[in-house]
Amino acid sequence: MSQAVLCEEKVKSPEAQYDLLTEVMDRYNRNEKNLIQILHYAQSIFGFLSSDTQRFIAEKMDLPLSRVSGVVSFYSFFSTMPKGRHTISICLGTACYVRGGKKIIEKLNELLGIDVGETTLDRRFSMEIKRCIGACGLAPAISIDNNVHKRVNPNRIKNILELYE
Ligand code: FES
């Protein structure tokens, strides 16, 4: 087994994930002014910020849990729920909104059975809203992971989703 695979497996175990998070906090001197960066790292390690992870950070940094959870809930880029393998970002910037962004959301609700901010039970997709993804001239647009899909027709979204396992 290669070193890379070993490392990947190691970081997947909860103990290794918490060890890594402790290392990160140490690197940032467990200083409250670095809390946002630490939370970013924690989210990249675990995929989301569970209440256990928030409690762990609060204890190790000697902060009230309410301080940590307050920051997590304030910033929309922090998630307290597990994310799907693929993130669908629906643009609701002005151009996309005017050209039917809401219809895309309705279609995704129907096809996936989830709403914005939720994840499918099979953890395949999560849904979120963006305010502009840089494709205004070809609205309405969505992105899935790093791929932008332009001039999206709600009746063809099923075909787009099939591209993502
Ligand atoms: S408003 Fe949707 S891409 Fe800019």
Side-chain angles (χ1 to χ4, degrees):
M1 193 178 293
S2 76
Q3 189 69 27
V5 172
L6 276 173
C7 287
E8 199 173 287
E9 284 188 351
K10 195 172 164 218
V11 174
K12 278 181 184 166
S13 82
E15 296 80 20
Q17 289 174 319
Y18 278 107
D19 284 350
L20 185 57
L21 178 55
T22 303
E23 264 180 59
V24 168
M25 287 190 284
D26 288 343
R27 217 179 304 147
Y28 282 102
N29 302 317
R30 303 191 186 200
N31 189 322
E32 186 178 355
K33 75 174 192 226
N34 299 319
L35 179 57
I36 291 178
Q37 288 94 321
I38 289 167
L39 289 168
H40 269 298
Y41 271 103
Q43 183 160 282
S44 70
I45 292 167
F46 294 94
F48 68 108
L49 297 168
S50 68
S51 51
D52 283 349
T53 303
Q54 292 178 50
R55 197 170 301 112
F56 180 84
I57 292 170
E59 280 172 14
K60 296 283 179 192
M61 292 182 69
D62 202 18
L63 293 171
L65 178 58
S66 59
R67 169 75 183 122
V68 175
S69 59
V71 172
V72 170
S73 59
F74 183 80
Y75 293 102
S76 61
F77 44 73
F78 291 131
S79 173
T80 56
M81 301 286 286
K83 287 263 188 174
R85 294 191 298 284
H86 306 289
T87 300
I88 306 172
S89 304
I90 304 106
C91 181
L92 282 188
T94 306
C96 291
Y97 184 86
V98 168
R99 292 188 192 157
K102 282 228 161 188
K103 288 204 172 102
I104 294 175
I105 293 178
E106 285 165 17
K107 192 66 186 183
L108 285 166
N109 292 158
E110 179 194 320
L111 290 171
L112 299 176
I114 58 169
D115 210 337
V116 171
E118 296 179 345
T119 298
T120 55
L121 284 178
D122 61 3
R123 297 261 179 93
R124 186 171 163 216
F125 292 110
S126 295
M127 262 170 72
E128 65 180 24
I129 296 293
K130 286 268 172 79
R131 292 298 160 193
C132 183
I133 56 175
C136 315
L138 297 167
I142 65 172
S143 68
I144 302 183
D145 304 332
N146 294 321
N147 306 314
V148 176
H149 298 271
K150 301 161 188 161
R151 285 200 177 121
V152 174
N153 176 338
N155 296 322
R156 303 197 58 192
I157 286 180
K158 196 166 185 281
N159 299 344
I160 295 174
L161 297 181
E162 282 168 6
L163 300 172
Y164 300 86
E165 287 295 315

